[in-house]
Structure formats: structure tokens, C-alpha cells
Amino acid sequence: MIETIRASKYTIKQILEENWDDFYNKHKQLIRPVVVENVKKVIACSDKDILGYNVYVCLDCGKKHFVPHTCKSRFCNKCGKVKNDDWVEKAQTRLFNIPHKHLVFTIPWEIRLLFLENRYLLSMLHQSCGQAITDWANSVYLLPGVVTVLHTFGAKLNFNCHIHALYSLGGVGLKTGNFKEASFVPAESLKARFKTILLHKLRREFVTGKLYISPSLKNIWRQKFGTDVFYNVQNKIWDKSWYLWIGERLDSATHTVAYVGRYAKRPCLSEAKIIAYEKELNLVRFSYRDKLTKEDVSLDLTIFEFIGALVRHIPEKGFNMIRYYGMYANVLKWRILKILADRLIYLYGQVYLLFEPKIMSWRERVKKATTIDPLYCKHCERDMTLIEIAYRTRDGTWKSVPIID
């Protein structure tokens, strides 16, 4: 009976450790190399026998403390949280301290599978969103700052690719070269531009023969539109209403960075939402927020369904989930800063929230989370000293490097 399932805390690492080999053996022909790489990292995370460790010692009493190395994978819930926190700090040096607007660009569900089957297309969501905003802004002689954040997952771990965008409510006036405030967000124009740009890019991929359309997707199109001919489906998709969500005004860099930090690099599922896992019953249960009822509900999946739902959200190696356009683009940013600095300081008090990111060390994060300093010897009332770093080299051999005699 499902009611007998234990209600203790479970982790994604535990589920992968106990089931990944069986899942891989069954589906290895369909699993991307980047998935295998990241799953292995997550399973090895904090295992000092695999990834190595640092050794700290109190030079007075000789007490030692071993700190295992972590995997640094974006897919890992623990390391992904660290990456998200680090991005929030760094973003405070990239965004100007001016008001922003949060937008969410979505695509019709009938073409989402196209992006799952052709993952390189995900870059086009970034590009189409950035171009839609900057093209409209250019029509009113404005160069704003735009940050786009790609999410591929929905609340139920379904493949639902969409873009969270930050749009600065002001920028460089293209006629004057000075700072220009602009609080209006043209929803209908942005929707139409995003739709036009993205469908044009998809049509170009189809014409050049690069687009893979699976039989299952063609079947969905036949059931929904009565045709699986790409050009006809494209026209049907154009006729649909595309959804653009316009969020609240974010009045300062502090507010903006804290707000978007919830969306930036977070894992696709918080482990706190895993409410049950039972290997014998082949079941994982997790909770999610229903957008219609605004209530927390639970969803049951088989173990393989759960793993499959998780790993399809692992991005390709080197793929940038966050991109910058307009006056935030790397090629323009420093030139724009010189133009706008004096005006922004006059209007908002400072150009950036911070001038140097404060990236916390492992020690600082532990102290913040537990109020306990892991590298402080209470008995001797002194800091411990790093004496050794042990790790595996690329060829798998074990290497130990002494730091002090």
C-alpha cells in the first residue's frame, strides 16, 4: 500500500545511486553523454574517496578535519544552489541600479517537443526574446538592458521551455546618447515580434533540412491540426495566442537581483518537495504548486519516469542558460557605462549595487547556515591550517599534495 511509504527526507543523489545503473542499462541508446557525465558527478559529490578532499589541522592539538570535494555540477541540488548564489552576487555587478520589469515568454505546447528533440534550438529562444525586446526598443530610439534566463521545466518536471527576461525600464537614448527612462512595456508588440522571429528561425532550419521531426510529434500535429506538414502546422501555430506574462516592477538592483535569483540557476526540483520514495514499490512522490488552484498537490511517478524527467533538463555542455542583450551585452557594457555613469548616479545613487562580487567560500557558507565555524578549533581557540589536498588526476591516479611541512 502507498500509505506505508516512509515519510523521511530523501535526496536525488540517493535515488540516482540506487537506480541509475538499471536506468542506464535500459535506456543507454537514448541517453546523452552530458547526462551520463553529470549523473556520475552527482553520485560522486562529497565522496572523498572519489573526488578527493582537503585536510585541515589544528597546529596546537593536532585535531584534523577532512573536507570532501564537491562535484560542481549544475544538475546537483547542493552545488547548483551554490552556483545560483554565486550568480546572484556576480549579477549585482552586471545590472545597472535602475528599475527593471520581469517578463516571461512562452511557446505553444504543440512545438515544445521540437525543442526537446532538437536541443540546439533552445538558443533561439534566447535570441528571439532578446531581439524582440531590442527591436521594439530601437523603434522608440532606446537601447535597454536585457537579461534572459532559460527554463526547460514546469512544476511537474514536464518539458516546458520558456524564457524569464529582465527588461530595464530605461537605457541609452539613441538620438541623444543620454540616459532615457521608459516605463512602458508593449505586451502585444513584444508577443508579435517574439512569435514572428522564432517562427522565422524555425522555418529556416526546416528549409535547410536541419530540423528533426519525430513520428510522435507528427502524430501530435495530426491529432491537433489535422496535418503534419510543417508549413501548415507553422500557420496554425501562428494563429494561436502566445502567452506573455508581465510581472511586477523591480525598483532597485537589490530587489531585481534577489527576485531573479529565484529563477537563475536553480535545480529543476527542490529536494524538499520529494515527500516519498520507495524502491520496493517503484515510486517517487513529490509535491508541486498547481497554478490554477494555487494549492500544493502531489504527483506519483515510477522511479524510471522520475529519473527520465529529471535528466532531460540537463543542458548541453557549455550551453549558457543566462544571456545578456542590449546595453548589458559584453561588447557594449563598458562603453555604455562611461556614457551613463554620471546620470545614473544622479538619478539612483549608484551605478551598480556592488563593484566587486562577494563570493562566499565553503567555510563562510557553512558558518552562515549553521552559525558554526567548521575550521575553528574551539579547544585551542585558533583557526585550523590546510596541510594537504588529495584528488584524482584525469587518468584516474590518486595524487596527494602536502601544503606545509
Side-chain angles (χ1 to χ4, degrees), residues 5 191 206 213:
I5 297 176
K191 280 197 294 186
F206 179 77
I213 305 175

Side-chain angles (χ1 to χ4, degrees), residues 214-225 227-228:
S214 68
S216 59
L217 181 55
K218 288 184 176 180
N219 185 50
I220 291 174
W221 286 352
R222 285 194 298 268
Q223 293 180 5
K224 179 65 178 180
F225 302 123
T227 178
D228 60 10

Side-chain angles (χ1 to χ4, degrees), residues 2 15 59-60 116 144 152 185 188 190 210 217 222 245 249 258 276 279 291 301-302 309 322 346 349 355 371 401:
I2 291 178
I15 295 172
L59 297 180
D60 285 346
L116 179 60
T152 59
V185 179
E188 293 304 317
L190 291 181
K210 297 178 181 178
L217 181 55
R222 285 194 298 268
W245 183 82
R249 173 188 169 104
K279 185 174 176 65
K291 291 185 177 180
L301 297 177
T302 68
I322 304 174
Y346 173 76
F355 287 95
T371 70
V401 180

Side-chain angles (χ1 to χ4, degrees), residues 26-75:
K26 183 174 182 180
H27 300 290
K28 58 185 174 183
Q29 299 300 324
L30 302 174
I31 300 175
R32 295 173 290 138
V34 70
V35 170
V36 177
E37 178 184 346
N38 278 272
V39 169
K40 286 183 177 179
K41 285 182 177 180
V42 171
I43 292 174
C45 189
S46 296
D47 188 328
K48 65 183 182 67
D49 295 328
I50 300 176
L51 296 184
Y53 52 86
N54 290 3
V55 183
Y56 294 83
V57 67
C58 174
L59 297 180
D60 285 346
C61 69
K63 178 183 178 182
K64 288 185 177 182
H65 184 71
F66 289 79
V67 180
H69 296 165
T70 55
C71 67
K72 310 297 190 293
S73 169
R74 288 187 289 184
F75 180 56

Side-chain angles (χ1 to χ4, degrees), residues 365-378:
R365 288 194 298 270
V366 172
K367 286 172 66 176
K368 182 179 179 180
T370 66
T371 70
I372 297 174
D373 187 342
L375 300 181
Y376 183 77
C377 179
K378 292 183 178 180

